Amino acid sequence: KQEVTQIPAALSVPEGENLVLNCSFTDSAIYNLQWFRQDPGKGLTSLLLIQSSQREQTSGRLNASLDKSSGRSTLYIAASQPGDSATYLCAAFYNQGGKLIFGQGTELSVKP
Amino acid sequence: DAGITQSPRHKVTETGTPVTLRCHQTENHRYMYWYRQDPGHGLRLIHYSYGVKDTDKGEVSDGYSVSRSKTEDFLLTLESATSSQTSVYFCAISPQGREQYFGPGTRLTVT
């Protein structure tokens, strides 16, 4: 069964710290992996999309990596700010079945 | 949320009444999806569409139906709402079915 797991479920860090969010997937035959941000009461905002042929993608202070062989992706946030506080979800797309499989999310709190 | 709107954004209804949620896109994307998000369950796919009049079931489709008569609109109908359908409903769109972009959500409460 294709499953996506995010650990930890919640993370609290002081402002300015660099941090890593983890995402693991059971089936390495992914087509791509997408990271989202969700603010309370809001929809999901797409942050980064990594194709299976890529190792990483960068956008501003965000860097996402993908290691298919180990079934892992990480989202690195540099110099965290209170405005980064949100829930971060990863989702793996598989051609087989054509579905996006979501993790449960990591709730990030950045303290001033 | 650019290019995707959902209506209504909030709705309270009574058990047994029919409810229709609307998703509208201006991106001309082929694929459209309906999800529900619940604490402890994450995001679960209800139905999706891969073209006008082409739809298929997701993992939690019981009690829901959909219709897509135009590229830009995807409707989700609860034929007879139940309290278990209290949730936040999200619409998503995709150009090729491999990455998705989400709407702002509709909070539905069934009393």
Side-chain angles (χ1 to χ4, degrees):
Chain A
K1 183 181 177 184
Q2 295 162 337
E3 294 181 343
V4 176
T5 304
Q6 292 183 250
I7 296 173
L11 179 65
S12 181
V13 301
E15 181 177 4
E17 192 164 293
N18 301 327
L19 61 100
V20 173
L21 305 180
N22 296 298
C23 172
S24 61
F25 42 93
T26 55
D27 184 349
S28 62
I30 66 171
Y31 183 86
N32 64 40
L33 190 131
Q34 203 167 354
W35 280 94
F36 295 89
R37 168 184 173 141
Q38 185 174 28
D39 293 286
K42 304 292 186 183
L44 280 70
T45 299
S46 182
L47 298 173
L48 289 164
L49 173 71
I50 313 177
Q51 302 293 345
S52 61
S53 58
Q54 298 174 315
R55 295 283 293 181
E56 63 179 54
Q57 279 283 347
T58 298
S59 175
R61 294 182 295 109
L62 305 180
N63 176 277
S65 68
L66 177 64
D67 185 342
K68 287 179 56 178
S69 62
S70 66
R72 292 184 60 195
S73 176
T74 61
L75 180 66
Y76 174 84
I77 302 177
S80 59
Q81 303 169 358
D84 294 329
S85 297
T87 296
Y88 291 81
L89 296 104
C90 66
F93 181 84
Y94 293 91
N95 270 334
Q96 184 181 13
K99 303 294 191 297
L100 200 57
I101 311 296
F102 282 87
Q104 295 282 337
T106 294
E107 184 177 358
L108 174 66
S109 175
V110 182
K111 304 295 187 184
Chain B
D1 297 352
I4 314 170
T5 56
Q6 293 184 230
S7 59
R9 294 293 314 280
H10 302 271
K11 185 170 182 66
V12 180
T13 191
E14 293 184 348
T15 298
T17 59
V19 177
T20 296
L21 308 183
R22 180 184 184 232
C23 177
H24 178 78
Q25 62 148 329
T26 58
E27 305 296 326
N28 201 35
H29 285 343
R30 176 182 176 189
Y31 294 83
M32 298 185 76
Y33 307 82
W34 277 107
Y35 290 88
R36 60 179 290 176
Q37 187 176 38
D38 305 285
H41 292 278
L43 278 152
R44 293 181 290 175
L45 181 64
I46 305 171
H47 281 281
Y48 66 101
S49 170
Y50 47 95
V52 173
K53 293 187 173 24
D54 292 322
T55 64
D56 206 348
K57 296 178 179 180
E59 61 179 299
V60 290
S61 59
D62 288 347
Y64 301 96
S65 63
V66 291
S67 65
R68 191 170 179 198
S69 58
K70 298 185 291 184
T71 298
E72 58 266 35
D73 289 325
F74 192 31
L75 303 180
L76 177 71
T77 297
L78 290 66
E79 304 292 346
S80 177
T82 67
S83 58
S84 65
Q85 293 176 312
T86 292
S87 185
V88 180
Y89 291 85
F90 288 103
C91 173
I93 64 175
S94 175
Q96 298 177 334
R98 294 170 176 160
E99 71 276 14
Q100 297 181 18
Y101 303 95
F102 283 74
T106 293
R107 184 172 296 275
L108 176 67
T109 302
V110 183
T111 61

